[in-house]
Amino acid sequence: MFAALFPGQGSQRVGMGRAFYQESAAAREVLDRAEAVLPGLLDTIWEGPEEALRLTENQQPALLAVSAAAWAAWREAGGPDPAYAAGHSLGEWSAHVAADTLELEDALRLVRLRGRYMQQAVPEGEGAMAAILKLDEAVVREVVQRTEGVWIANLNSPGQVVISGRKEAVEAAVAELKERRGRAVPLKVSAPFHSELMAPAREALARDLAQVELRTPRFPVFSNVTAEPATDPDRIRELLLAQITAPVRWVEILEGMHGRGVATFVELGSGNVLSGLVRRTLPEARALNAEDPEGLAAALEEVAS
């Protein structure tokens, strides 16, 4: 039994997805459809510059398009549906495209707006995020709860918790967590994602998402908000909105899948961030990466064995 994982922001790189475009007719169709709905997207993905690809309103549809192309190539190669799917933050939208909950074109338009609204919610330079390493979640949570203006954003793996919020508040929390023998890595992000400061983005996206049809997914997709699979379209709509301000409960998602019998995880799309988190969270599980045709072929062989 395997699960499909779809990456989020931070996994992008200039040139991603080009090999799928060149070698897979199904992936080429997906990327051509993405270009048709968001003209100029493929040029940004393949030519950059990196600064343009890193812009949230470009990065989100770019990653979704490449993940959808990888999924199309997987299916074209005879890859089976997963028992479950999940995506990290933005990747949850990619998972729902793979599960046919959302049409590709609708998802691309929505995540571009999602990125734009998230950037507009907090002026650049006023927010910050930091990954806290080598401390238990309970210690990080204790400090965050006592520091106004900072929230837990991502529970990525044991010993890796991301905090988000107002720049000064994040810096104050980081200083205290370092005193507790933690290590802090500032993240190069343009906004404090998955914090209550993103509430204006959640409210703005609600109006757009209300106009789009969602279907029952072909296979269950885990929600970042609840760390449980969701299948009801109305509930999925609520969760995709709540996700903007809620923390990503990635450790619980992986453990929940593993507890349901998943022993193999395949990351579809750019990078290998999620494969690394699987290895740190579930050392006994198989973590495979399909960011190019060679990786996809190897993952397909492993899943079939």
Side-chain angles (χ1 to χ4, degrees):
M1 186 184 295
F2 87 100
L5 305 179
F6 296 89
Q9 290 188 207
S11 291
Q12 76 283 346
R13 63 174 178 81
V14 174
M16 63 182 180
R18 191 192 293 269
F20 280 128
Y21 190 90
Q22 294 169 339
E23 298 190 26
S24 164
R28 189 178 311 120
E29 181 191 6
V30 164
L31 291 169
D32 283 343
R33 287 168 62 192
E35 176 68 16
V37 72
L38 297 176
L41 182 65
L42 292 186
D43 187 59
T44 302
I45 293 172
W46 292 338
E47 305 300 333
E50 187 178 335
E51 292 75 19
L53 185 58
R54 202 162 49 224
L55 286 174
T56 302
E57 66 179 81
N58 293 333
Q59 187 180 155
Q60 294 198 21
L63 282 164
L64 187 148
V66 171
S67 285
W71 173 252
W74 172 269
R75 295 292 291 159
E76 180 186 48
D81 278 349
Y84 303 99
H88 194 284
S89 190
L90 172 276
E92 188 173 333
W93 290 78
S94 304
H96 278 297
V97 170
D100 292 333
T101 316
L102 276 162
E103 286 291 341
L104 173 69
E105 286 81 0
D106 288 335
L108 286 164
R109 293 187 190 97
L110 287 166
V111 300
R112 167 151 284 181
L113 291 170
R114 180 181 186 267
R116 186 173 297 161
Y117 296 150
M118 291 168 89
Q119 186 60 68
Q120 293 171 347
V122 178
E124 191 163 359
E126 292 187 13
M129 298 180 74
I132 309 302
L133 311 176
K134 300 184 176 180
L135 285 177
D136 289 341
E137 176 192 334
V139 176
V140 180
R141 195 174 290 280
E142 177 199 339
V143 171
V144 164
Q145 287 174 343
R146 289 192 286 99
T147 309
E148 186 176 355
V150 63
W151 295 266
I152 286 179
N154 301 3
L155 298 160
N156 281 337
S157 68
Q160 185 185 130
V161 178
V162 175
I163 62 174
S164 178
R166 301 195 183 281
K167 188 172 184 288
E168 300 79 6
V170 170
E171 289 172 349
V174 162
E176 183 171 349
L177 289 164
K178 284 182 176 178
E179 291 177 3
R180 303 282 193 98
R181 299 179 179 271
R183 179 177 165 229
V185 179
L187 301 185
K188 294 179 181 180
V189 294
S190 57
F193 305 124
H194 298 287
S195 75
E196 284 299 326
L197 301 179
M198 292 289 103
R202 182 188 63 212
E203 292 159 10
L205 188 64
R207 295 189 291 271
D208 302 301
L209 187 53
Q211 306 304 313
V212 171
E213 179 192 5
L214 272 67
R215 298 181 292 265
T216 301
R218 203 171 65 250
F219 41 81
V221 176
F222 273 67
S223 163
N224 285 194
V225 176
T226 63
E228 293 287 339
T231 56
D232 176 70
D234 290 336
R235 179 60 173 154
I236 290 168
R237 194 186 307 272
E238 294 172 1
L239 292 170
L240 286 173
L241 292 172
Q243 181 216 57
I244 293 175
T245 52
V248 176
R249 296 165 62 180
W250 196 248
V251 173
E252 292 173 80
I253 288 171
L254 295 181
E255 291 175 342
M257 289 180 170
H258 192 57
R260 289 168 169 83
V262 172
T264 301
F265 296 82
V266 180
E267 181 176 6
L268 290 139
S270 181
N272 56 10
V273 171
L274 302 186
S275 304
L277 295 180
V278 170
R279 293 185 187 102
R280 286 195 285 277
T281 305
L282 302 169
E284 68 278 23
R286 286 193 299 180
L288 310 172
N289 178 257
E291 71 167 337
D292 55 34
E294 294 75 19
L296 188 147
L300 187 57
E301 187 175 334
E302 286 282 330
V303 167
S305 65

